[in-house]
Amino acid sequence: MATTRSIIGDAPKRREDERFVTGSGRYLDDLAFPGLVHAVVLRSPHAHALIERIGTERARAAQGVLAILTAEDARADGLSPLRPSADTNVHTGEKFAFAPQPLLAHGKVRYAGEPVALIVAETRAQALDAAERVVVD
């Protein structure tokens, strides 16, 4: 009599474990690509706060920095807030109500961790260093 296997509660044989346990696994961060640059998102440490000014002058002057994007820059470049990929309930046809999600905070942050600026540099270390030079009042 043949038994059928259930995937619920099953412990399938994992093929990738050996290379990761032995330190020979490769992750995306281990790969190098020609012309690759790195981006760091500067996030708000505050759950709710007004943004009076974002000073990027010192960060822009940092070694290796290629670009810094704030909400004002995003708007000037014609970038619009994120919208959900589905705007209608597929079962009922009812439209979803949603608030557009800004790419970067403008005027105020609404939650801790909300993106405030994006720093692009030649290396990850340079992007992290430049992020520390951005002043948010």
Side-chain angles (χ1 to χ4, degrees):
M1 178 174 153
T3 60
T4 57
R5 288 183 58 181
S6 170
I7 59 171
I8 299 173
D10 195 13
K13 177 103 171 104
R14 295 172 48 125
R15 297 174 294 168
E16 68 276 6
D17 288 351
E18 184 176 349
R19 67 176 182 250
F20 293 120
V21 172
T22 60
S24 60
R26 290 183 52 172
Y27 297 88
L28 186 57
D29 204 36
D30 297 327
L31 306 176
F33 300 97
L36 179 73
V37 297
H38 298 263
V40 168
V41 177
L42 178 65
R43 297 179 179 275
S44 171
H46 306 291
H48 182 81
L50 296 177
I51 298 173
E52 294 180 4
R53 183 182 85 82
I54 301 176
T56 61
E57 301 80 17
R58 287 185 56 231
R60 288 182 196 277
Q63 182 179 359
V65 172
L66 302 171
I68 297 180
L69 186 71
T70 64
E72 288 181 11
D73 300 319
R75 284 187 181 172
D77 289 344
L79 301 174
S80 56
L82 297 174
R83 297 180 50 88
S85 58
D87 61 357
T88 306
N89 183 315
V90 295
H91 298 291
T92 66
E94 182 180 1
K95 292 272 188 192
F96 292 130
F98 63 90
Q101 177 63 48
L103 299 173
L104 299 165
H106 185 265
K108 69 178 175 179
V109 292
R110 294 156 193 84
Y111 57 90
E114 183 171 5
V116 175
L118 179 75
I119 298 93
V120 181
E122 294 171 359
T123 69
R124 182 173 185 268
Q126 290 170 334
L128 288 168
D129 287 345
E132 291 182 7
R133 294 177 179 208
V134 175
V135 177
V136 181
D137 292 329

